[in-house]
């Protein structure tokens, strides 16, 4: 796959179809992987794809709300966008786990994952996203935490005096790093879309649930795995997004699909002028590979 094989999104219709498609594929494949004995293949596949498509549509709507924020500068759009995005990714995850679409809901704030299990009397739980935690620690060691903006957008935002290559910002995992001042402010909608791209593929994590349980059982580490799973939620989607980003970047950063999508939903004259000079940023060029 390269950037010439996935075209830039030039309309809401294209973007909607793409997001619905991503959710449907993740939901369908995950549902089959997690199919219970006795469940029919066709019914399980259709249920997973249908639920995943619904989740993908909500992700699309969350991106449209970020576009309204980009155009107006009104932060009142951002938290509703995050809530809609969390609902969409929750539905995709439920589909990939072969669960009912309402079974579990989650919201990620930085490396913090807050979950509500509706099938266990709305049990509330908290877990940590390992890769996102690493990226947050790295950002914290090289940047200044922007508490005010973080509270406004529901995502950890850091500020730097200078970003290598002259970039106005970048977003490793679901952490945002911006320049201090006006250019960083104008890049914020673009980088929030990148965090939504990371969140969008979280259904991929459910592909490994059965394998993790099986391996831990064979190694006699069931109790350790159970304890680990209560504390951490493996965000394998970080790896998936990194690989896809690098593959999409083969024809140059200007034609990268992920950047095209972020530009589309943060498009206004001032943002476009800023992003034109932004150099390549690879998610895998993070604290794990620096």
């Amino acid at each position: 796959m390269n950037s010439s094989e996935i075209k830039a999104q030039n309309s809401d219709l294209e973007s909607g179809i793409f997001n619905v498609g991503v959710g449907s594929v993740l939901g369908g494949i995950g549902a089959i992987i997690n199919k219970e004995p006795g469940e029919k293949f066709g019914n399980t596949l259709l249920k997973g794809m249908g639920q995943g498509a619904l989740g993908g549509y909500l992700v699309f709507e969350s991106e449209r709300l970020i576009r309204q924020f980009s155009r107006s500068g009104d932060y009142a759009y951002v938290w509703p966008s995050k809530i809609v995005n969390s609902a969409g990714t929750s539905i995709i995850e439920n589909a990939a786990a072969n669960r009912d679409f309402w079974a579990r809901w989650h919201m990620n704030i930085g490396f913090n994952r807050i979950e509500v299990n509706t099938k266990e009397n709305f049990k509330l739980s908290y877990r940590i996203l390992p890769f996102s935690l690493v990226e947050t620690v790295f950002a914290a060691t090289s940047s200044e935490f922007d508490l005010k903006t973080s509270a406004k957008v529901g995502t950890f935002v850091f500020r730097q005096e200078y970003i290598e290559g002259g970039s106005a910002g970048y977003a490793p995992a679901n952490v945002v790093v911006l320049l201090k001042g006006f250019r960083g402010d104008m890049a914020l909608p673009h980088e929030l879309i990148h965090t939504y791209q990371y969140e969008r593929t979280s259904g991929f994590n459910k592909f490994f649930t059965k394998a993790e349980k099986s391996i831990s059982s064979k190694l006699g580490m069931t109790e350790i795995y159970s304890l680990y799973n209560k504390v951490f939620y493996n965000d394998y989607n970080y790896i998936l997004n990194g690989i896809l980003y690098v593959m999409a970047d083969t024809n140059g950063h200007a034609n990268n699909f992920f950047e095209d999508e972020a530009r589309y939903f943060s498009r206004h004259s001032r943002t476009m002028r800023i992003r034109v000079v932004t150099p390549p940023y690879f998610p895998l060029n993070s604290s794990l590979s620096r």
Side-chain angles (χ1 to χ4, degrees), residues 53-235:
L54 173 61
Y57 176 74
L58 291 179
V59 170
F60 163 65
E61 289 295 344
S62 74
E63 291 177 327
R64 294 215 298 176
L65 286 170
I66 291 297
R67 182 171 60 197
Q68 291 300 109
F69 165 56
S70 178
R71 290 173 174 173
S72 66
D74 187 351
Y75 280 89
Y77 287 104
V78 184
W79 265 103
S81 170
K82 186 172 182 66
I83 292 170
V84 173
N85 184 268
S86 296
T89 56
S90 295
I91 292 173
I92 294 173
E93 281 194 23
N94 286 330
N98 194 27
R99 295 191 294 248
D100 292 327
F101 80 87
W102 63 83
R104 294 185 187 179
W105 303 94
H106 76 269
M107 176 177 287
N108 297 331
I109 301 176
F111 60 84
N112 305 285
R113 178 182 172 93
I114 302 167
E115 299 178 343
V116 176
N117 189 333
T118 62
K119 290 199 170 184
E120 294 183 12
N121 296 319
F122 289 86
K123 178 183 177 182
L124 184 67
S125 61
Y126 166 82
R127 290 196 280 178
I128 295 170
L129 305 169
F131 285 118
S132 185
L133 173 61
V134 171
E135 289 291 5
T136 302
V137 170
F138 184 84
T141 59
S142 59
S143 312
E144 180 181 319
F145 182 55
D146 185 343
L147 176 60
K148 183 177 180 180
T149 304
S150 298
K152 287 181 178 179
V153 301
T155 299
F156 287 171
V157 177
F158 294 84
R159 298 277 185 166
Q160 293 183 354
E161 292 286 354
Y162 172 77
I163 296 176
E164 185 177 353
S167 175
Y170 61 95
N174 58 352
V175 180
V176 172
V177 180
L178 301 172
L179 276 180
K180 292 183 178 180
F182 175 76
R183 288 187 69 234
D185 292 340
M186 298 308 297
L188 178 58
H190 183 103
E191 304 308 336
L192 287 176
I193 292 296
H194 282 316
T195 68
Y196 285 6
Q197 291 168 343
Y198 159 83
E199 298 277 6
R200 177 171 60 200
T201 54
S202 63
F204 179 69
N205 303 325
K206 296 303 178 184
F207 291 13
F208 304 95
T209 303
K210 278 191 173 181
E212 288 176 345
K213 290 180 179 178
S214 176
I215 292 172
S216 64
S217 177
K218 290 179 181 178
L219 295 176
M221 301 175 65
T222 302
E223 291 185 5
I224 295 176
Y225 170 74
S226 179
L227 178 61
Y228 173 88
N229 207 41
K230 288 180 180 179
V231 178
F232 296 100
Y233 178 89
N234 290 331
D235 48 341

